[in-house]
Amino acid sequence: RHEHNLLLSRYGSDGALKIGQLHHDHRFEKKYVRGFEKGYEGIDIMTLLTPQLVEEAEKMMAGKNRHTRLVYIPNFLEHYPQHPELRPREKTVLAAGRLTKVKRFDLLIKQFARIHPQTPDWKLKILGEGEDGAALADQIKELGAEDYIILAGRKNGQEVEEEMCRASIFAMASSSEGFPFVLLEAQSCALPILAYDVRVGPGFIVHQGEDGYLAAEGDEASYEKRLLEMMAKPELLREMGRRALTHAGEFSEEKVAEKWYSVIET
């Protein structure tokens, strides 16, 4: 947290290598800008989750904080399912996360209901719980979509993995994401992704046209067009899923550990 980094910078022993972290994209509010400019100057190394965040923070520090070195170190996947690319797939679009405003499940539900007449054999399944659960259930009922849009509730890690290995597409409609770990989990299950190209997160994980698609923020028509395109091409989904699985391999514990060793041992 920002507050812990300030304490480390001010009170951390000068005889130790002081490493700070910021593990969320906070859109760099004023307090974080001030931190990079001056508040973190006692920290030797600050790690951030994406290269884009490193680039932005470097610009903030330019000419002000000449001591702190910024490094990109992502989170890592602790577990990879066995041969998910070989699993049989259902005609299911999967989404997962806390049922809160920022995740925009209401938008995803609206869009899926809109295209459903063109793909009546597909379902949308949403995993998770949260304060918007009741409102989302009401929305689905009002749309008459109970048969094909399912709020599946909270699942444990094994259950989420099983759902991901059965689905054909993972959909995200969030308005803001820092490091969307759920997208890495989906890729580790050989699941292609469709998301809005919001700040930092999805654009770092999804490779356009290779392991999924990104739609411009606010372009609902483009998002729906891509979703229909993916639904209509099972072989494309298989190929994208294989590429997604390869990409997820870059976030193994061993590979991320190498980044940490390179920081600590230099």
Side-chain angles (χ1 to χ4, degrees):
R1 294 180 63 88
H2 167 69
E3 295 77 12
H4 300 147
N5 291 323
L6 293 177
L7 292 172
L8 174 65
S9 177
R10 181 175 298 181
Y11 301 112
S13 171
D14 291 335
L17 177 65
K18 291 180 280 186
I19 303 174
Q21 298 177 302
L22 276 180
H23 267 198
H24 298 279
D25 170 31
H26 297 279
R27 296 185 177 272
F28 290 137
E29 301 166 15
K30 287 183 179 180
K31 65 178 181 179
Y32 303 112
V33 175
R34 289 195 297 268
F36 283 109
E37 290 177 345
K38 192 171 182 179
Y40 302 158
E41 59 187 3
I43 292 175
D44 300 306
I45 297 169
M46 177 68 74
T47 70
L48 298 168
L49 289 173
T50 71
Q52 180 182 335
L53 294 176
V54 169
E55 291 174 6
E56 292 181 4
E58 284 175 341
K59 292 177 182 177
M60 296 176 204
M61 290 168 48
K64 296 168 183 171
N65 179 351
R66 293 183 172 87
H67 176 72
T68 306
R69 179 161 66 97
L70 298 173
V71 178
Y72 151 62
I73 300 183
N75 292 326
F76 62 86
L77 285 163
E78 296 185 19
H79 170 72
Y80 290 82
Q82 292 293 314
H83 302 296
E85 74 279 12
L86 303 179
R87 305 280 186 92
R89 299 284 171 167
E90 300 172 354
K91 291 185 175 181
T92 299
V93 176
L94 189 69
R98 185 157 182 79
L99 306 184
T100 59
K101 183 178 180 180
V102 71
K103 299 299 183 181
R104 294 197 302 200
F105 288 117
D106 58 334
L107 173 60
L108 185 59
I109 289 169
K110 179 184 74 172
Q111 293 192 262
F112 196 85
R114 197 150 55 199
I115 67 171
H116 176 68
Q118 300 175 62
T119 57
D121 50 346
W122 281 76
K123 293 184 178 182
L124 170 65
K125 182 179 287 189
I126 299 172
L127 311 182
E129 62 182 6
E131 56 267 30
D132 287 355
L136 295 176
D138 289 343
Q139 180 188 8
I140 293 169
K141 186 175 181 179
E142 289 172 7
L143 290 168
E146 299 102 316
D147 290 341
Y148 61 88
I149 300 180
I150 302 159
L151 294 179
R154 183 178 181 179
K155 303 289 183 181
N156 63 36
Q158 181 61 40
E159 290 169 333
V160 170
E161 179 181 300
E162 290 172 359
E163 293 283 0
M164 286 182 169
C165 287
R166 283 197 297 266
S168 292
I169 300 167
F170 189 88
M172 175 176 277
S174 299
S175 60
S176 177
E177 287 285 347
F179 188 91
F181 197 75
V182 69
L183 297 187
L184 283 183
E185 292 176 320
Q187 288 188 332
S188 75
C189 295
L191 198 54
I193 294 164
L194 176 63
Y196 281 103
D197 192 14
V198 296
R199 175 177 154 73
V200 183
F204 169 64
I205 293 175
V206 179
H207 300 77
Q208 184 77 323
E210 296 182 16
D211 48 27
Y213 291 109
L214 296 167
E217 169 62 359
D219 191 348
E220 296 180 20
S222 177
Y223 189 99
E224 292 166 25
K225 180 180 178 181
R226 285 297 192 191
L227 186 53
L228 287 168
E229 180 182 315
M230 295 170 80
M231 289 173 168
K233 298 179 178 179
E235 286 306 313
L236 172 68
L237 295 179
R238 284 286 185 183
E239 181 58 32
M240 282 187 161
R242 286 189 285 268
R243 293 172 185 162
L245 183 58
T246 299
H247 180 242
E250 296 299 312
F251 296 86
S252 68
E253 183 175 358
E254 292 76 16
K255 291 193 175 183
V256 174
E258 288 174 6
K259 293 182 182 294
W260 278 109
Y261 290 138
S262 70
V263 166
I264 294 170
E265 293 174 351
T266 55

